[in-house]
Every structure is written in structure tokens, then in C-alpha cells.
Amino acid sequence: MKTLSLIVRKRKTENGSFNSFSAKVGDLWYTVKFTQDCSPPPVINLDGNRQRAFVKLDAECLFDVKKAEKDTDFNVLYVSTYKALSESETEIAKEAEVRSAKEWEEKRMRDRMNFLEEL
């Protein structure tokens, strides 16, 4: 059973707002869509700017994967059922995401400084 970390973005439309979900699996990014009968997992605030949601997927869960056929298409993961994380599993996943986000920010800053040095 694997825990999938979902990046959550709040989208606004004329009819209100909704959350969009995406996930990186290996080297591929997926748009994650929950089917009509499956409610999305609860959204967790990591800090003021980052929101995540976590689900567990295994062979018993119902989901479909649609790989992009062209470069302009998106990979899509359609989830019909998933397993929720326990409180302790959620805390572990949350801590891992905070660590990952911090590492990404540090790398981003190093890349920016390296770019400026090369100018």
C-alpha cells in the first residue's frame, strides 16, 4: 500500500471555488480527479501557502490511470475509492512533505544564486 501525497490548489470560478489535486509519481505529474461517488480527502495546511491531502492506494482501491498521448495532454488519475490515513500516518506524511518542501526551497535558492553568479 502506497501513500500518495496530493498538492492542493484552490481554484475560483464564476460559480464558486473548488480544489484541484495533482501528484507526482516517479517522473510523471498527474492531475487527480475524484469520481462523482468519491469525496476528496481532507485538505491539510502545511503552512500559510502550502496545502496537501493524502490518500493510500492499493490493489483493492478502484482507480484508473490515463497516460498523456501527446505532450500537450495531461496524465490523469481517476480515483473511485481510496483508503484514509490514520492520524499517526497523516502526521508522518505531513512531516515528510514539510521536509521535502524545505529541501525544494533550498535548491531553488541555490539555483537562483548560481544563475546570478553566471550573469
Side-chain angles (χ1 to χ4, degrees):
M1 186 172 324
K2 297 287 184 176
T3 299
L4 187 61
S5 177
L6 307 175
I7 296 172
V8 182
R9 291 191 176 91
K10 186 165 281 292
R11 305 289 187 193
K12 295 186 181 200
T13 66
E14 293 174 358
N15 301 328
S17 63
F18 65 95
N19 291 325
S20 69
F21 298 89
S22 58
K24 187 173 184 184
V25 179
D27 291 335
L28 296 176
W29 280 96
Y30 289 85
T31 297
V32 180
K33 299 187 180 223
F34 295 91
T35 61
Q36 189 172 3
D37 298 333
C38 181
S39 61
V43 174
I44 298 169
N45 284 315
L46 297 182
D47 58 28
N49 297 326
R50 292 184 181 91
Q51 294 183 318
R52 298 292 186 267
F54 304 102
V55 296
K56 290 192 291 191
L57 294 178
D58 64 14
E60 295 175 6
C61 298
L62 297 174
F63 60 92
D64 287 316
V65 178
K66 179 185 172 202
K67 297 271 184 144
E69 294 178 9
K70 300 181 279 185
D71 290 341
T72 55
D73 293 342
F74 294 101
N75 298 306
V76 182
L77 175 63
Y78 296 98
V79 179
S80 297
T81 63
Y82 62 87
K83 295 182 179 174
L85 276 68
S86 68
E87 248 182 72
S88 62
E89 290 172 322
T90 300
E91 279 305 309
I92 291 168
K94 184 178 173 181
E95 289 170 9
E97 272 303 303
V98 168
R99 243 185 345 269
S100 175
K102 184 177 179 181
E103 289 169 3
W104 181 83
E105 283 290 331
E106 290 170 355
K107 181 187 180 311
R108 183 173 157 235
M109 289 304 292
R110 280 193 311 272
D111 290 348
R112 290 177 67 195
M113 290 301 132
N114 290 341
F115 176 79
L116 290 174
E117 288 175 7
E118 292 177 10
L119 284 179

